[in-house]
Amino acid sequence: MATPEPARKKTPLVGPGYTPVGAADEISDLVLKRPLTWEWLLGAGLAFLLLGVLAIAVSVLFYRGVGIWGINIPVAWGFAIGNFVWWIGIGHAGTLISAFLLLMRQKWRTSINRSAEAMTLFAVLCAALFPLLHLGRPWFFYWLIPYPNTMWLWPQFRSPLVWDFFAVGTYLTVSALFWYVGLLPDLATLRDRAQHPFPRLAFGVLALGWRGSARHWQRHQTAYLLLAGLATPLVISVHSIVSLDFTSAIVPGWHSTIFPPYFVAGAVFSGFAMVLTLLIPLRAAYGLKGLITARHVDLLAKMMLATGLMVDYSYVMEVFTAWYGGNPYDWSLMVDRMAGAYAPLFWAVMVCNVAVIQLLWSARVRANPAWLFAIALVANLGMWMERVMIVITSLHHDFLPSSWAMYYPTVWDWATLFGTVGLFFFLFFVFIRLLPVISISEVQKLVIEEGSR
Amino acid sequence: MASFETPEAVLEAARRTREAGYRCLDAFTPYPVEGLAEAIGSAQSRLPLWVLIGGLCGGLGGFGLQYFSMVHNYPYDVGGRPANSWPAFVPITFELTILAAALVAVFGMLAANGLPRPHHPVFDAPGFERATLDRFFLCVEARDPRFEKDATRRFLESLNPKDVADVAC
């Protein structure tokens, strides 16, 4: 029984009445002509205050050591690692949107890829802070880098923490390159449109003399596609390696083969939630509804639902294998998670990541920005709680009852967490002020293609 | 140098210019126009091959680094595991493969394009600041064997451009 596709699916990806020049004007004017508004100042100012909190927290950490956090034996990994996994996961949707959807020739990525990539970069920066701060002697972080040194020692390449260094370092580098390659033509557009000499010079330097030659475009497109092809397996490998930090330990609740795909799904899920958290206010505040259309938001919500269901499947499998595997330690840990001291955390995760996202099945919920924004916030919170739950509950309840103990976060744990939230949003506020939030050249192409259909 | 208002016009003009025997052409557009690079006679880029080579070098180098340091230079005995425990070397080998390939892709693209080059004669063409917005330019370079100032100008004018300008090199 074939039913016709609902008309909603055919809604164009750009609003009515757009011309290539109009779209370019709208996006570049956001950078070049928009005056400073009090809303931006307020948002950036609040984020800056939180950034100050981070500076204080890190200074105290450098002075007094990781003892200021609630970690101890047996819970030697606390918020720092949970936050690390959470932040790096948030970055994943950005790369996935821009790289994977580019390879799949999905046109709906066009209006959102730039801001999603920026989100990735900033989230990975926040994430990278935590393993460094967690080292105990953070100023020796460069010992993770293999370089011929006077001590004649190499890093232990079999250690997951060294893998992390390579995974996160590569991810940060490739994300930055991908972002910049995509920005290059737009920087040239801004250079040519800027009225004042200073932005003209700044964009001119950044644009490296881009002049839109057909030969340049040909190589640019090749390089961009290749980068996308490289970034797609990379993004999966990064979170798989992060999950190997856990899996290669024999601690019950960590030593599990489902971790790599489970972590990747959770990462993409929280990443889509963060994209929605950022884009819904952005398109409302700057009147971008013609470019970031209701259909974009709808598709993002569907992606969030799909990846959320993968996460839910992983939850079920985690419990099932713990029971079916017959390992008493694994099962004891699962029971402790569901009914022990951290049970409220477990059930809160279930509410956020399993129950609430089922609302996304409804097209009416997906069409309502306020609801979507709320659900996205809940999903972000839920994923953060899940990462912290994985880190803490396994350690606090391992093999020997005599070594069981609780973990209580201190004020510095919270200060570092909220501080990185401040860092993230501050960078994002600066980004929307200084660079085009939507890819100008790609939107122009899209407008032509949509118009000729 | 001739300027046009639509991508179709510049594509058609590029085809006709090439048919007329001109070989040293370039076109400037605000976004990639499909088929334009072929129309001005640009060969398929060899970038993918270089990226493959870069990736292989990165992978072999990454594995070699770990093999050298963990087997020859400073072997650790951890619970009697073999020195060349290659499964543990896979993550870093993979990451360095991707890293090297990506670096080659970006810097290779820039190098092949001759960027950064802050100034170029075409920037002096009237209205060229619109090449990144809504104007499409087709340029016949003076080093073209068929280039002859007035004839070429008349030829470009016959293509129905918006206007034609000389650009000093």
Side-chain angles (χ1 to χ4, degrees):
Chain A
M1 204 167 63
T3 46
E5 283 205 324
R8 183 166 47 80
K9 284 194 179 159
K10 293 247 165 68
T11 43
L13 287 167
V14 283
Y18 269 95
T19 59
V21 191
D25 277 346
E26 185 174 334
I27 301 165
S28 58
D29 284 354
L30 285 183
V31 179
L32 298 171
K33 293 216 182 110
R34 168 165 44 104
L36 268 179
T37 56
W38 68 267
E39 290 97 338
W40 186 89
L41 281 174
L42 181 71
L46 284 176
F48 192 73
L49 281 182
L50 278 177
L51 186 59
V53 172
L54 179 69
I56 295 170
V58 171
S59 309
V60 174
L61 177 84
F62 270 53
Y63 185 67
R64 292 184 45 198
V66 285
I68 60 168
W69 291 344
I71 50 176
N72 209 328
I73 301 300
V75 185
W77 283 12
F79 267 24
I81 302 301
N83 294 344
F84 163 62
V85 182
W86 181 62
W87 271 124
I88 204 153
I90 284 175
H92 278 47
T95 316
L96 205 87
I97 287 176
S98 42
F100 185 65
L101 297 180
L102 177 70
L103 290 179
M104 296 289 130
R105 315 257 175 203
Q106 290 290 318
K107 284 185 195 150
W108 63 274
R109 73 182 271 284
T110 297
S111 299
I112 50 178
N113 67 332
R114 174 71 43 76
S115 41
E117 286 161 27
M119 176 192 83
T120 294
L121 268 184
F122 305 151
V124 175
L125 278 178
C126 292
L129 274 178
F130 283 105
L132 299 186
L133 297 178
H134 186 258
L135 285 176
R137 289 184 290 171
W139 48 92
F140 288 135
F141 74 92
Y142 60 88
W143 285 5
L144 289 167
I145 306 170
Y147 65 100
N149 56 51
T150 52
M151 294 177 287
W152 280 92
L153 282 171
W154 293 96
Q156 169 58 289
F157 289 115
R158 302 178 189 95
S159 157
L161 291 178
V162 176
W163 300 347
D164 263 356
F165 170 78
F166 278 90
V168 176
T170 302
Y171 189 41
L172 190 61
T173 315
V174 174
S175 305
L177 288 174
F178 193 66
W179 193 55
Y180 186 68
V181 168
L183 261 174
L184 202 50
D186 288 3
L187 291 169
T189 306
L190 288 174
R191 169 198 66 200
D192 291 342
R193 290 181 56 81
Q195 303 293 327
H196 301 285
F198 178 70
R200 180 187 279 272
L201 180 72
F203 288 124
V205 169
L206 288 173
L208 305 177
W210 179 264
R211 51 191 181 274
S213 154
R215 289 169 216 277
H216 288 187
W217 274 119
Q218 187 187 28
R219 292 195 194 97
H220 178 268
Q221 296 293 296
T222 311
Y224 201 54
L225 264 179
L226 285 170
L227 273 181
L230 292 166
T232 304
L234 176 67
V235 81
I236 295 178
S237 83
V238 173
H239 228 62
S240 299
I241 290 175
V242 167
S243 77
L244 289 176
D245 296 357
F246 295 87
T247 317
S248 59
I250 54 164
V251 177
W254 285 0
H255 194 56
S256 157
T257 48
I258 202 170
F259 262 40
Y262 163 29
F263 267 47
V264 174
V268 179
F269 172 61
S270 60
F272 276 109
M274 189 56 104
V275 172
L276 281 171
T277 313
L278 294 173
L279 283 189
I280 291 174
L282 183 72
R283 68 196 277 270
Y286 293 129
L288 292 171
K289 289 187 177 169
L291 291 171
I292 304 173
T293 61
R295 186 163 159 220
H296 285 108
V297 177
D298 184 61
L299 286 164
L300 282 171
K302 281 181 184 162
M303 287 299 287
M304 196 173 133
L305 176 62
T307 47
L309 290 173
M310 292 179 212
V311 174
D312 298 350
Y313 169 79
S314 308
Y315 291 160
V316 173
M317 284 320 288
E318 216 186 0
V319 177
F320 175 76
T321 44
W323 169 74
Y324 192 69
N327 181 327
Y329 302 106
D330 273 353
W331 183 240
S332 157
L333 174 81
M334 276 303 151
V335 172
D336 178 66
R337 249 184 214 175
M338 288 186 277
Y342 289 105
L345 195 59
F346 177 84
W347 294 109
V349 169
M350 292 300 128
V351 169
C352 293
N353 291 356
V354 182
V356 169
I357 58 161
Q358 306 306 327
L359 290 170
L360 295 172
W361 289 102
S362 153
R364 274 174 56 200
V365 170
R366 289 200 306 270
N368 185 329
W371 270 96
L372 263 186
F373 185 67
I375 293 172
L377 281 182
V378 166
N380 272 321
L381 179 67
M383 280 311 294
W384 179 79
M385 290 192 296
E386 185 220 284
R387 302 316 198 187
V388 169
M389 176 186 81
I390 290 173
V391 173
I392 295 170
T393 53
S394 284
L395 286 174
H396 108 107
H397 186 97
D398 62 357
F399 302 98
L400 275 178
S402 62
S403 64
W404 293 352
M406 292 293 288
Y407 163 81
Y408 299 103
T410 64
V411 63
W412 296 113
D413 279 304
W414 293 108
T416 322
L417 169 65
F418 288 117
T420 48
V421 173
L423 172 65
F424 177 78
F425 279 100
F426 183 69
L427 289 171
F428 202 79
F429 271 109
V430 172
F431 157 70
I432 57 181
R433 188 64 227 174
L434 293 184
L435 291 170
V437 286
I438 295 173
S439 170
I440 299 173
S441 59
E442 288 185 30
V443 163
Q444 286 190 311
K445 198 155 188 271
L446 183 74
V447 170
I448 301 254
E449 284 166 358
E450 292 276 320
S452 64
R453 262 210 318 209
Chain B
M1 176 127 102
S3 71
F4 299 87
E5 281 187 319
T6 64
E8 292 81 21
V10 77
L11 191 56
E12 178 60 26
R15 285 208 182 105
R16 281 176 52 194
T17 314
R18 194 154 164 82
E19 273 163 24
Y22 291 100
R23 285 294 171 266
C24 298
L25 304 177
D26 206 346
F28 302 91
T29 58
Y31 43 85
V33 174
E34 223 161 299
L36 188 58
E38 289 76 23
I40 61 166
S42 169
Q44 194 53 251
S45 162
R46 277 197 306 274
L47 198 58
L49 178 68
W50 283 107
V51 170
L52 176 69
I53 293 171
L56 288 176
C57 289
L60 290 174
F63 192 86
L65 169 77
Q66 296 175 79
Y67 187 84
F68 169 75
S69 55
M70 296 283 101
V71 177
H72 287 292
N73 195 248
Y74 201 96
Y76 304 107
D77 188 336
V78 185
R81 287 175 188 80
N84 180 25
S85 48
W86 66 267
F89 298 161
V90 168
I92 293 179
T93 307
F94 177 81
E95 297 299 327
L96 287 180
T97 309
I98 300 277
L99 182 64
L103 289 173
V104 170
V106 175
F107 291 102
M109 181 270 285
L110 291 178
N113 282 348
L115 298 175
R117 178 170 177 181
H119 194 73
H120 187 271
V122 294
F123 282 120
D124 293 334
F128 192 75
E129 71 277 359
R130 305 195 68 170
T132 53
L133 182 66
D134 63 344
R135 205 49 63 77
F136 303 80
F137 292 83
L138 181 69
C139 173
V140 179
E141 291 170 12
R143 61 192 169 87
D144 192 295
R146 289 201 44 151
F147 184 85
E148 202 267 301
K149 199 166 184 245
D150 297 323
T152 304
R153 189 184 180 93
R154 273 197 302 280
F155 172 76
L156 284 176
E157 269 161 3
S158 75
L159 298 170
N160 288 328
K162 179 123 178 40
D163 68 303
V164 176
D166 294 334
V167 181
C169 281

